[in-house]
Amino acid sequence: MPITDFLTDLLNPDLAFLPKALAIAVMSSIVCGVVGCYVVLRGMAFIGDAVAHAVFPGLAIAFVLQGSLVLGGAVAGVATALLIAIFSQNRRVKEDSLIGVFLVATFALGIVIISQAPGYSGSLQQFLFGSITGIPDRDLYLVGITGLVILGLVLALHKEFVAVCLDREMARSMGLPVFWLDIVLYVLVTLAVVISLQTIGNILVLALLITPAAAARLLTDRLGVMMLLAPTIGGTSALVGLYLSWSYDTPVGGTIVLVATTIFLTAWLLAPRHGLLTKRRTRIQRPSGEAEPAAGSAIAAGHVSPMR
């Protein structure tokens, strides 16, 4: 489909769901790109997966009660994130084990709840894989407001988040409230996941949180640049993915994820400093007696700084 036809469809009043889907996809991708930078830096992709499953019982309850899916998922996800943060303070059981326990339990609870609702099969498919049809106006406004709140908190607590992500013990010795920062970060991850579920779905939402940030990490050593690149990659993936999905009648969530993955693979191969082909070319051109830079030298040299 030519891009002009896609733009015409966006302006067609009979296809009012399409611009709403585009707005939600782009907004949620931008927010996930920003929050995902902290997830990638901290190596906490598992918590993103857990949150994506944890929101399921809230979605199920909201569906049964005919309420807002965004609000229902947010309440369930935040409650689970708080439980994980509290239980993980007991170092006898590691954080990843607790996440695994709550991941399975909450997802199972959601399946039990939604199995009691009429139209169970269709509803489950919508929750798992997303849907661009039938997005109510209230969810569009809710996603926009929630996204602004998330970005505002990120801006206010950026230095503290990065300090905790890079070295928790150092952050604690600096007097930072690590426990409460953990809770706030978990809540932000939860909200970023929830506002993406309408378009991406429960199964694929983790990719929107991780893939753009991981691609940005390959493209730059500067954290400030990374936090600009990640939402740009996410937003571009949402726009191109929705266009391709509409043109070729493919699932919108899967198409967006595949576009983001293509960008990641391109960065993995061709990134100016860290791409596979770039490293091989540099290794060939480097004199035989010259040693390669030590691992982590970028951080040691100050290119990735908590204060940037």
Side-chain angles (χ1 to χ4, degrees), residues 70-227:
V70 175
L71 283 177
V75 171
V78 169
T80 305
L82 291 175
L83 287 173
I84 292 173
I86 292 171
F87 275 79
S88 64
Q89 300 306 303
N90 183 348
R91 295 301 177 182
R92 180 71 177 176
V93 181
K94 291 186 177 181
E95 187 179 45
D96 58 347
S97 299
L98 291 170
I99 290 172
V101 170
F102 286 108
L103 183 155
V104 177
T106 53
F107 196 69
L109 176 61
I111 291 177
V112 170
I113 293 172
I114 200 172
S115 66
Q116 306 302 311
Y120 161 64
S121 298
S123 302
L124 182 61
Q125 182 176 1
Q126 177 183 348
F127 291 147
L128 294 180
F129 302 106
S131 173
I132 64 171
T133 60
I135 299 175
D137 290 340
R138 68 174 183 271
D139 282 357
L140 179 64
Y141 300 136
L142 192 56
V143 167
I145 294 172
T146 304
L148 290 176
V149 170
I150 293 172
L151 295 178
L153 287 172
V154 166
L155 183 63
L157 298 173
H158 172 66
K159 294 180 180 180
E160 290 79 2
F161 282 152
V162 177
V164 173
C165 288
L166 294 181
D167 192 330
R168 293 172 59 81
E169 295 307 318
M170 178 64 72
R172 189 173 282 110
S173 68
M174 293 168 57
L176 294 178
V178 174
F179 171 70
W180 292 107
L181 288 170
D182 278 346
I183 288 181
V184 174
L185 184 56
Y186 287 174
V187 169
L188 292 183
V189 171
T190 300
L191 295 177
V193 166
V194 168
I195 65 176
S196 308
L197 289 175
Q198 293 272 55
T199 305
I200 301 297
N202 188 271
I203 290 180
L204 300 177
V205 70
L206 181 64
L208 203 61
L209 192 69
I210 301 299
T211 307
R217 185 70 183 93
L218 290 170
L219 293 171
T220 181
D221 288 326
R222 296 187 177 275
L223 183 56
V225 177
M226 177 183 173
M227 298 197 72

